[in-house]
Amino acid sequence: MPKITYIENNGTTRTVDVPAGWTVMEGAVKNRVPGIDADCGGACACATCHVYVDPEWVAKLSPRQDMEDQMLDFAQNLKSNSRLSCQIKVTPALDGLVVRTPKTQH
Amino acid sequence: MQRVVIIGAGQAGVQAAVTLRSEGYDGALTLVGEEIYPPYQRPPLSKAYLSGELVRERLFLKPDAFYSETACELRLGVAARQIDRAAKTVSLSDGTSLAYDRLLLATGTRVRKLPLPGASLPGVYYLRGIDDVDLLRPEMRAGARLVVVGAGFIGLEVAAVAAKHGLHVTVLEAASRVMARAVSPQLSAFYEREHRAHSVVFRFGAALEAIEGADHVEAVRVQGEHVPADFVLVGVGVVPNCEIAQAAGLVCDNGIAVDEYTATSDPDIFAAGDCTSHPAFAGGRVRLESVQNAIDQAKHAALAMLGKPVPYREVPWFWSDQYDLKLQIAGIARPGDVTVLRGLLDSRKFSVFHLRDGVIAAVETVNAAPDYIIGRKLIAARAIIAPERLADISVPVKSLA
């Protein structure tokens, strides 16, 4: 099962197994990683699952779709490696992925 | 406060538990749920779970470890029967009872049943919980004839999934347009066209007379005509579960009546989520059926139970996924609002702003997340913006807030 590492804003690091086909958001919520609210449950409707993808992984992800781009435009502290974690689907190729959670989702 | 009991293990119930613990409550905490499942998300039921894209395990809101680690006792498959307000106990269907210092009612809603002859025939389905969808999914075979009763969110989301799977879908609606209770006529017309483009057939002003069949549904009779059906999905709304509150003498009014701090007419009993009628953001009272209300009201209920009340006056928001269209709504439109279209319907990316006395009161957006996000802010600020400016897509939406 792919391993995903979540690094909180305060530096707390957790590496957890996330089944392929799930999203990075679900991996966080199911493993009680704080800092990802995901109020809408992954429908790309609330922009409360913002993460920063570790630079070396950015190019390995499928690119942002239009809706994700539009939602992210309103995230706090947007960076070039910002993603909505509900839109990143975990695949075996993402084994080892590292994401960081922002200070706040609102 | 030593003992909190939450009746209802849905989105609101579990959110209240989360917030109670994160706010430092360390007393006993019991979450009572009538279904056998731990708290799960309902929105995907009529969408990705029905279509099979999402396995059941992905519906659950929290991992099992959450309940043990936070000492939140789950009592599942058990219904609350009666509240004794004097003794401050709740009796349960398994014969036990729970004592409480504070009680939260997050009892949700149940589907409205069709009061028609034949409505209990095999092949007639409703959609509210996991079990409903597990029964419905095997019927979703290409070529099957589905009759959907009710063109609300549930009916249309199921119609969209079914149409994509190659079923023949007919939607019967008593009103004159789709989603009439929730969206503006412009939106209704747009969504009706989209569904028709996927070969969905509509009948409006439909007065249902009976569901027909020998030992399984075969047709729906509408104004004397027989609409053939291999199965029927009924989505004609829900009713709030407030009987237990009513029986305990709590004030109910289209839901369990709460104040802006989520307290019922008993100061030790609170209520949150779909089951409540509460003071509305836009004035008056409202009962909402939404994830947003469940989450936000539950957070407020937890704070109020802990003696840290904050008034609940959030802007309501909703969403619906049909085909590749993301409908996002903020605020609640009312008949008589002035509507302003921003963008072109044909671009399948537009929004409809609703102005009430010049103030932005609601926005409905289709594939237009920026308009939705800005719209929410404008509604919260009770902003006044000239209709010409709202309609002008050369003015960036971000510059409006």
Side-chain angles (χ1 to χ4, degrees):
Chain A
M1 212 182 279
K3 288 190 186 305
I4 309 289
T5 297
Y6 300 85
I7 305 176
E8 286 175 55
N9 189 254
N10 66 12
T12 307
T13 300
R14 282 185 185 75
T15 299
V16 302
D17 294 320
V18 183
W22 290 38
T23 66
V24 171
M25 177 278 284
E26 289 176 302
V29 171
K30 303 287 155 103
N31 288 288
R32 307 197 58 214
V33 175
I36 293 182
D37 295 350
D39 283 352
C40 74
C44 198
C46 69
T48 60
C49 66
H50 179 199
V51 295
Y52 303 114
V53 174
D54 209 57
E56 64 169 295
W57 285 93
V58 170
K60 294 175 185 155
L61 305 182
S62 54
R64 294 177 192 158
Q65 300 287 306
D66 191 36
M67 179 63 73
E68 182 187 352
D69 245 345
Q70 293 179 20
M71 294 297 281
L72 268 174
D73 197 27
F74 294 89
Q76 299 286 321
N77 304 312
L78 185 71
K79 297 179 190 169
S80 60
N81 59 341
S82 288
R83 294 294 303 257
L84 291 181
S85 55
C86 75
Q87 301 300 305
I88 307 174
K89 197 174 257 190
V90 175
T91 63
L94 295 187
D95 187 18
L97 174 70
V98 178
V99 299
R100 290 164 200 273
T101 58
K103 201 179 222 167
T104 169
Q105 292 287 352
H106 296 280
Chain B
M1 183 169 69
Q2 296 299 317
R3 291 166 301 191
V4 173
V5 173
I6 301 171
I7 305 297
Q11 186 102 45
V14 75
Q15 181 64 54
V18 167
T19 305
L20 281 165
R21 289 300 189 217
S22 67
E23 289 291 321
Y25 172 64
D26 60 4
L29 180 56
T30 307
L31 190 52
V32 179
E34 222 170 316
E35 290 178 79
I36 57 170
Y37 306 108
Y40 62 90
Q41 310 173 63
R42 291 189 194 278
L45 293 179
S46 50
K47 310 173 185 92
Y49 187 61
L50 175 62
S51 72
E53 290 159 51
L54 207 67
V55 296
R56 181 190 291 178
E57 201 189 346
R58 294 175 69 182
L59 294 174
F60 297 116
L61 285 160
K62 297 287 169 196
D64 291 343
F66 166 82
Y67 302 100
S68 50
E69 286 168 20
T70 61
C72 174
E73 186 197 4
L74 278 180
R75 299 281 296 269
L76 299 175
V78 181
R81 288 280 184 244
Q82 200 177 6
I83 303 168
D84 183 334
R85 288 166 56 190
K88 295 178 88 166
T89 58
V90 186
S91 57
L92 306 179
S93 57
D94 63 1
T96 61
S97 82
L98 295 169
Y100 66 83
D101 296 313
R102 298 281 187 281
L103 176 65
L104 177 66
L105 302 175
T107 51
T109 62
R110 61 182 181 275
V111 294
R112 191 186 299 279
K113 297 277 183 163
L114 216 50
L116 283 182
S120 52
L121 276 173
V124 178
Y125 299 94
Y126 293 85
L127 200 164
R128 179 72 194 160
I130 286 178
D131 291 343
D132 296 327
V133 182
D134 289 347
L135 290 170
L136 181 59
R137 199 188 296 105
E139 300 274 16
M140 303 289 278
R141 294 181 307 264
R145 295 164 305 177
L146 163 64
V147 171
V148 174
V149 179
F153 286 127
I154 292 288
L156 291 187
E157 287 175 354
V158 172
V161 171
K164 280 201 294 196
H165 280 66
L167 283 80
H168 301 290
V169 185
T170 302
V171 178
L172 308 176
E173 167 59 48
S176 59
R177 59 186 177 92
V178 304
M179 301 185 283
R181 203 166 59 93
V183 306
S184 61
Q186 293 100 311
L187 256 285
S188 294
F190 173 81
Y191 272 89
E192 184 187 329
R193 272 203 307 279
E194 288 286 333
H195 279 276
R196 287 191 193 276
H198 286 87
S199 303
V200 174
V201 174
F202 286 96
R203 289 191 57 152
F204 295 103
L208 269 61
E209 289 154 0
I211 296 187
E212 302 174 322
D215 48 13
H216 189 275
V217 61
E218 289 165 23
V220 178
R221 194 170 80 229
V222 190
Q223 282 126 318
E225 198 186 311
H226 307 270
V227 181
D230 296 315
F231 68 108
V232 172
L233 183 275
V234 182
V236 293
V238 294
V239 286
N241 293 323
C242 42
E243 287 75 7
I244 192 173
Q246 237 156 2
L250 300 175
V251 175
C252 294
D253 167 20
N254 178 34
I256 303 168
V258 295
D259 65 13
E260 60 186 335
Y261 304 102
T262 76
T264 66
S265 50
D266 180 326
D268 294 323
I269 305 179
F270 299 78
D274 289 13
C275 66
T276 70
S277 97
H278 58 271
F281 172 83
R285 294 187 74 80
V286 69
R287 190 176 65 76
L288 297 173
E289 295 155 12
S290 74
V291 166
Q292 171 273 324
N293 181 58
I295 291 176
D296 287 338
Q297 218 174 22
K299 288 178 181 171
H300 284 74
L303 291 171
M305 286 191 276
L306 295 170
K308 300 186 273 192
V310 177
Y312 174 68
R313 280 289 161 90
E314 309 297 315
V315 175
W317 54 269
F318 313 84
W319 79 92
S320 175
D321 294 323
Q322 297 167 40
Y323 308 108
D324 57 343
L325 301 169
K326 180 167 294 292
L327 171 61
Q328 291 168 287
I329 300 173
I332 296 176
R334 287 182 190 163
D337 289 348
V338 173
T339 58
V340 179
L341 176 66
R342 181 179 171 86
L344 299 168
L345 298 182
D346 287 345
S347 70
R348 306 174 83 247
K349 184 173 176 174
F350 62 90
S351 50
V352 178
F353 284 85
H354 292 248
L355 310 184
R356 202 169 300 151
D357 302 322
V359 177
I360 297 176
V363 64
E364 301 161 315
T365 69
V366 174
N367 293 343
D371 293 14
Y372 161 73
I373 293 172
I374 291 296
R376 252 169 83 175
K377 290 182 181 171
L378 295 173
I379 296 163
R382 301 180 199 275
I384 296 177
I385 295 178
E388 312 80 69
R389 224 170 115 73
L390 276 178
D392 184 353
I393 51 172
S394 73
V395 176
V397 72
K398 265 186 149 177
S399 71
L400 296 173

